Amino acid sequence: MRLTETEVQALLEEADGWKLADERWIVKKYRFQDYLQGIEFVRRIAAISENANHHPFISIDYKLITVKLSSWRAKGLTKLDFELAKQYDDVYKQMKQGEGE
């Protein structure tokens, strides 16, 4: 079910660094120390997305990964988009923590 504009704004306030684009997408950029680390991030979030059967647009620009989420069937944003955004952020945090080890 598509979220209202008010619901989207409330969830965006809780989302770490996600931005609204064209009133139907949430977008975030992730930066990595090297190319292969970014590719590993894409591999991990692709597995999460496949498991949820909900697939983002992913752009790879060397060490910068851009992720865009929206729900085609709902013609806008749903709770699932924000749930996946949180999971992607968790993967990023785990990978960043792993850099210090």
Side-chain angles (χ1 to χ4, degrees):
M1 175 184 258
R2 189 168 93 191
L3 298 171
T4 66
E5 191 175 319
T6 304
E7 290 170 322
V8 168
Q9 288 305 321
L11 288 168
L12 270 175
E13 287 177 20
E14 298 172 17
D16 182 22
W18 288 86
K19 306 278 187 237
L20 186 64
D22 299 326
E23 297 180 12
R24 68 176 294 160
W25 298 92
I26 52 173
V27 180
K28 184 167 181 179
K29 295 180 185 292
Y30 297 91
R31 187 168 299 280
F32 294 89
Q33 284 190 337
D34 62 52
Y35 176 74
L36 289 178
Q37 189 181 38
I39 297 301
E40 176 61 19
F41 174 74
V42 169
R43 188 194 67 73
R44 291 182 190 186
I45 68 169
I48 290 167
S49 302
E50 184 67 17
N51 191 44
N53 194 29
H54 192 71
H55 305 91
F57 283 28
I58 302 171
S59 299
I60 302 168
D61 297 296
Y62 184 41
K63 298 187 280 185
L64 184 69
I65 309 299
T66 305
V67 180
K68 286 175 60 173
L69 281 162
S70 188
S71 296
W72 293 106
R73 276 193 210 127
K75 297 183 176 140
L77 293 162
T78 65
K79 283 188 177 181
L80 181 58
D81 295 304
F82 285 92
E83 289 167 8
L84 286 175
K86 170 82 171 82
Q87 290 181 51
Y88 300 164
D89 287 348
D90 290 345
V91 168
Y92 184 72
K93 286 174 192 162
Q94 289 169 1
M95 291 181 72
K96 286 302 197 181
Q97 287 173 349
E99 286 179 4
E101 295 173 0

